[in-house]
Amino acid sequence: MERIQIITIIANLFFLGYIGKLIIKGKLREEYAIVWLVITLFMAIFSFWRQGLEIVSRKFGVYDPPNLVFTGFIFLILIYLLHLSVANSKLQKSITSLTQEMALLKQQKEKEAQTDNA
Amino acid sequence: MPFKLLIVIPCYNEQDSLPALLAELKSLALPPAFSMDIAVVNDCSKDATVEVAKKHTDIVLDLPVNLGIGGAMQTGYLYAFQHGYDLAVQMDGDGQHPPYELHKLLQHWEATKASVVIGSRFIVKQGFQSSALRRTGIGYLHWLNKFFTGIHVYDSTSGFRLFDRKAIAIAAGNYPDEYPEPESIIIFAKAGLAVEEIPVAMRERQGGQSSIKQFAQLYYIVKVTIAMFFSFIRK
């Protein structure tokens, strides 16, 4: 086994452990964790299977194997960013509704307090 | 039974211009067919807008988080909807929309029963006309609106507008939160509501600043174009 393989495998294990810790502590929702776990899995496969990248690249018709890595990861990152934008939009909508509801309730409460006093 | 009318005033840091506006509104002699309430929506102002508003009116909707003009307006429409108002009129907190022009909107509504009546600066050129750059943008939006809905609205960014019960119901359910005015016209037109425009005179703002600042104008046009397009194709 080459030195770089051992380094990647160890880095991978740390990454995996950290993701696990975040989930256990409730800081990372499972639905977001899926992407991170899948990425870790891919990295693990290719750190054990050294010729894998070349073989897969040839299958795809990519001449320079690192290009496949870049293309693949950029694609993944874009998809994930889109997913985050969607999640963000949903959050914003919820916050708007909550805020409006709060303002309306506050007004109602104040009005009730006024009629009680009168 | 008179028609219940709610004036919705969205405010962001308007403590200076608000008292005059509210006093002017309250001294207004409305036609006897209408009864008026005033709701101030405070969009998380950093100044004393809430305290000032509470001195002058009973209905103060105080948003704990800044939502932007659309989110603030929608809060007003939600209130109008829940409390059974027949009409709602948006009036900006900076005094741009003079209360004495209100009767023109009401008269037009009584005559036509249009669901949305927009007060326009541009049909008859009088009063405050805003800058040349901004007028170019507004001309483009006029074209875009005509393209999407076939309706001529010359001043589609005008916030001085009257909604009837049908329009209030729609706005309470779905109202764009950023730069809502041009986009909402498409939403109303698609729902089959009659949208009409009448000339009014506007004043230069009495205080505060526009929600659309210099650098944001290009962003405004792009965002509104995209939003209008998607409102148009949305089912």
Side-chain angles (χ1 to χ4, degrees):
Chain A
M1 206 175 259
E2 303 281 337
R3 189 181 290 158
I4 184 68
Q5 277 179 288
I6 295 165
I7 294 172
T8 6
I9 289 164
I10 290 171
N12 234 318
L13 283 176
F14 272 111
F15 196 52
L16 203 62
Y18 188 58
I19 292 171
K21 201 175 138 191
L22 283 176
I23 298 178
I24 290 166
K25 280 191 166 179
K27 284 186 181 169
L28 183 68
R29 289 174 61 91
E30 287 83 348
E31 65 224 60
Y32 299 122
I34 292 172
V35 177
W36 298 113
L37 290 176
V38 170
I39 289 176
T40 326
L41 182 73
F42 268 101
M43 292 202 299
I45 289 173
F46 285 107
S47 39
F48 279 109
W49 182 31
R50 196 140 193 265
Q51 280 74 45
L53 189 59
E54 259 169 66
I55 294 169
V56 174
S57 298
R58 229 173 290 135
K59 283 249 158 65
F60 276 107
V62 178
Y63 291 109
D64 204 11
N67 281 344
L68 182 69
V69 178
F70 288 128
T71 317
F73 267 91
I74 289 171
F75 184 66
L76 247 167
I77 289 168
L78 277 181
I79 299 278
Y80 193 58
L81 279 178
L82 182 67
H83 168 73
L84 286 182
S85 301
V86 171
N88 208 355
S89 306
K90 200 176 131 198
L91 273 179
Q92 208 171 344
K93 211 170 189 176
S94 314
I95 289 175
T96 302
S97 301
L98 280 172
T99 309
Q100 291 174 335
E101 193 70 14
M102 249 179 105
L104 291 166
L105 284 173
K106 224 164 28 174
Q107 203 277 333
Q108 196 182 2
K109 213 180 116 201
E110 251 166 55
K111 209 167 86 186
E112 278 166 12
Q114 270 172 14
T115 32
D116 284 351
N117 284 341
Chain B
M1 265 301 264
F3 293 112
K4 282 173 75 185
L5 163 70
L6 184 71
I7 308 283
V8 182
I9 307 175
C11 285
Y12 181 69
N13 297 345
E14 304 283 11
Q15 61 173 12
D16 300 328
S17 51
L18 203 52
L21 176 69
L22 291 174
E24 209 177 324
L25 263 173
K26 278 200 279 193
S27 65
L28 214 60
L30 281 183
F34 298 96
S35 74
M36 178 179 76
D37 287 319
I38 303 168
V40 171
V41 185
N42 171 43
D43 195 5
C44 206
S45 296
K46 294 191 186 86
D47 65 2
T49 300
V50 183
E51 288 72 22
V52 170
K54 275 187 184 157
K55 259 183 240 158
H56 292 87
T57 176
D58 289 338
I59 309 167
V60 178
L61 302 168
D62 184 21
L63 299 172
V65 173
N66 182 280
L67 292 182
I69 173 81
M73 277 315 299
Q74 193 179 34
T75 315
Y77 295 136
L78 278 166
Y79 185 88
F81 184 68
Q82 289 170 3
H83 292 80
Y85 283 89
D86 301 298
L87 298 168
V89 172
Q90 171 180 353
M91 203 178 267
D92 284 354
D94 59 17
Q96 258 197 90
H97 306 146
Y100 52 79
E101 295 289 83
L102 180 63
H103 71 275
K104 288 189 189 164
L105 296 184
L106 295 175
Q107 265 169 10
H108 189 82
W109 178 77
E110 271 194 303
T112 63
K113 299 287 176 195
S115 290
V116 179
V117 182
I118 301 171
S120 164
R121 275 165 286 186
F122 300 126
I123 297 178
V124 177
K125 297 218 185 291
Q126 65 175 119
F128 174 61
Q129 291 285 319
S130 88
S131 72
L133 181 66
R134 202 165 274 198
R135 283 205 305 276
T136 312
I138 287 169
Y140 164 73
L141 290 176
H142 165 230
W143 174 84
L144 205 61
N145 244 312
K146 200 179 68 185
F147 179 75
F148 283 135
T149 64
I151 299 173
H152 280 278
V153 179
Y154 290 99
D155 197 358
S156 58
T157 63
S158 164
F160 193 32
R161 34 179 73 182
L162 174 143
F163 290 0
D164 77 346
R165 187 112 190 101
K166 273 187 276 179
I168 291 172
I170 291 173
N174 172 25
Y175 202 65
D177 38 70
E178 224 185 8
Y179 314 139
E181 287 88 5
E183 190 188 341
S184 61
I185 293 174
I186 293 188
I187 297 175
F188 293 131
K190 282 198 75 178
L193 302 189
V195 179
E196 299 202 359
E197 194 180 25
I198 57 159
V200 296
M202 288 194 195
R203 297 185 290 211
E204 203 153 351
R205 59 182 62 256
Q206 311 289 302
Q209 50 182 211
S210 168
S211 53
I212 310 161
K213 293 181 203 78
Q214 281 297 324
F215 291 110
Q217 291 191 352
L218 184 69
Y219 170 71
Y220 175 87
I221 289 293
V222 173
K223 147 95 218 263
V224 166
T225 304
I226 294 172
M228 282 167 81
F229 173 70
F230 283 102
S231 285
F232 174 67
I233 61 173
R234 187 178 291 149
K235 285 214 178 67

